[in-house]
Amino acid sequence: MNSKTVGYLYVLSAVVIFAGQDAFSKYLGAKYPPIMVTMIRFWAFAAFVLLLATSSGGIRKALVTKRPLLQVARGILLVTEIVVVIFAFTKAGLAVSQAILQSTPLIVTILSVPLLGEKVGMRRGAAIVVGLIGVMIILRPTDVRIEITLLIPLIAALMYAFYGIATRAVSRHDSAITSVVYAGLIGAGFISLIGPFYWTPIRMEDWPAMVALCIFGSVSHYLLIKAYRLLTAIEVQPITYLQLILSIIIATTYFGETVTTNMIVGSIIVVGAGLFTVWREHHLSKRIAGPDI
């Protein structure tokens, strides 16, 4: 197999594992405090990034950064966002949460203008508006009142978008390994200051799910790192949207969730707008000159 094919297999495997990871997160988050579940997951993630750093030139080298404060902020933001995501899975539902989380690339594009100084032309601007309309269709504001629980995944999407912006910013100065190491270690350290206060004894029958969650979290990130070494973002992004489909299947099959028409329509609009913005950004990056019109 050529490198592209291997890269696509890495992405596809990562997406399948991410979907399983979300299922275990919902299952455990309904039984135990999301903060505790996230803490245990990040302990495993921290061990993984230490091994990764050791095999990639050493831990000391991986910790060298030109943006230490921003790297620390990334770690805190990521672990907090995951707590909110698990809470969203249990309160709003896995399927609808994943549908709303697909708006993250659109929010990143919006935030990149004031925070990174990037320019968004008419075409990407129109795609963002369409995508946000898709989010509103999912939220169903015409029902007089918006379910407050649906705002939880929306908050998570906003938090992950800020994490994405911070990651873009540090990528201009630090290596991918450095960013992963800081996300894992800072995230684990920060959640460990809070998580023990929420500790709840884990039942014997739930340990397999907890172990699986920890393994899935590390393996999926490793596969995605490998994929990005072989593929570009425009090649990876379309495949990651398969996670929404897998999540819907899991949510309806194993958790008895209901998929509504407005959620399907809104998801299609959001994913379509997201794909266009990613493609447009890739297209513009290849152009030497010329306005985004």
Side-chain angles (χ1 to χ4, degrees):
M1 291 186 291
N2 58 40
S3 60
K4 291 289 186 182
T5 301
V6 174
Y8 284 124
L9 289 176
Y10 279 140
V11 180
L12 185 59
S13 299
V15 168
V16 172
I17 295 174
F18 273 131
Q21 171 187 292
D22 290 345
F24 285 122
S25 294
K26 176 179 172 62
Y27 171 79
L28 293 168
K31 290 188 169 187
Y32 305 97
I35 292 179
M36 189 193 83
V37 174
T38 304
M39 179 178 66
I40 296 175
R41 172 180 164 181
F42 259 78
W43 285 347
F45 187 42
F48 162 72
V49 298
L50 286 176
L51 289 174
L52 184 65
T54 301
S55 63
S56 304
I59 298 174
R60 181 175 298 180
K61 179 181 177 181
L63 290 175
V64 176
T65 173
K66 296 181 179 178
R67 302 294 300 275
L69 294 180
L70 193 55
Q71 289 286 16
V72 170
R74 282 181 63 252
I76 295 174
L77 192 57
L78 177 61
V79 73
T80 306
E81 182 266 342
I82 290 177
V83 172
V84 177
V85 164
I86 295 177
F87 192 65
F89 289 164
T90 59
K91 297 299 182 182
L94 177 60
V96 71
S97 293
Q98 274 296 344
I100 295 174
L101 287 170
Q102 302 310 313
S103 65
T104 300
L106 301 174
I107 302 175
V108 168
T109 303
I110 295 172
L111 294 177
S112 67
V113 177
L115 298 180
L116 297 179
E118 297 181 3
K119 295 182 179 179
V120 175
M122 292 179 59
R123 294 179 184 178
R124 280 194 291 168
I128 291 171
V129 172
V130 171
L132 294 180
I133 291 174
V135 174
M136 294 304 293
I137 291 175
I138 297 173
L139 295 177
R140 291 184 300 181
T142 54
D143 285 355
V144 180
R145 65 185 183 88
I146 297 177
E147 288 291 338
I148 192 68
T149 54
L150 296 183
L151 297 181
I152 302 174
L154 191 59
I155 292 172
L158 183 61
M159 293 177 67
Y160 195 61
F162 275 108
Y163 171 79
I165 289 293
T167 300
R168 283 193 184 186
V170 297
S171 67
R172 298 172 179 176
H173 308 278
D174 298 336
S175 68
I177 294 297
T178 295
S179 293
V180 171
V181 168
Y182 269 94
L185 296 184
I186 296 299
F190 179 74
I191 195 71
S192 295
L193 297 175
I194 307 170
F197 295 102
Y198 293 85
W199 185 265
T200 302
I202 301 174
R203 297 172 184 169
M204 187 62 64
E205 62 268 24
D206 292 330
W207 271 111
M210 186 66 76
V211 172
L213 174 63
C214 294
I215 294 174
F216 279 24
S218 299
V219 173
S220 57
H221 277 87
Y222 175 75
L223 292 173
L224 210 54
I225 290 172
K226 296 283 286 186
Y228 273 112
R229 290 176 177 172
L230 300 173
L231 303 173
T232 62
I234 191 64
E235 293 169 325
V236 171
Q237 190 65 39
I239 303 177
T240 61
Y241 282 117
L242 290 174
Q243 184 177 346
L244 174 59
I245 298 175
L246 294 175
S247 294
I248 290 175
I249 293 174
I250 292 172
T252 54
T253 304
Y254 294 100
F255 296 108
E257 295 183 12
T258 302
V259 178
T260 59
T261 301
N262 67 290
M263 197 178 82
I264 295 175
V265 173
S267 297
I268 293 173
I269 294 174
V270 170
V271 170
L275 287 173
F276 179 82
T277 56
V278 172
W279 172 83
R280 187 63 181 166
E281 183 175 335
H282 173 75
H283 177 71
L284 292 174
S285 68
K286 296 175 64 176
R287 292 171 53 179
I288 299 175
D292 176 15
I293 58 175

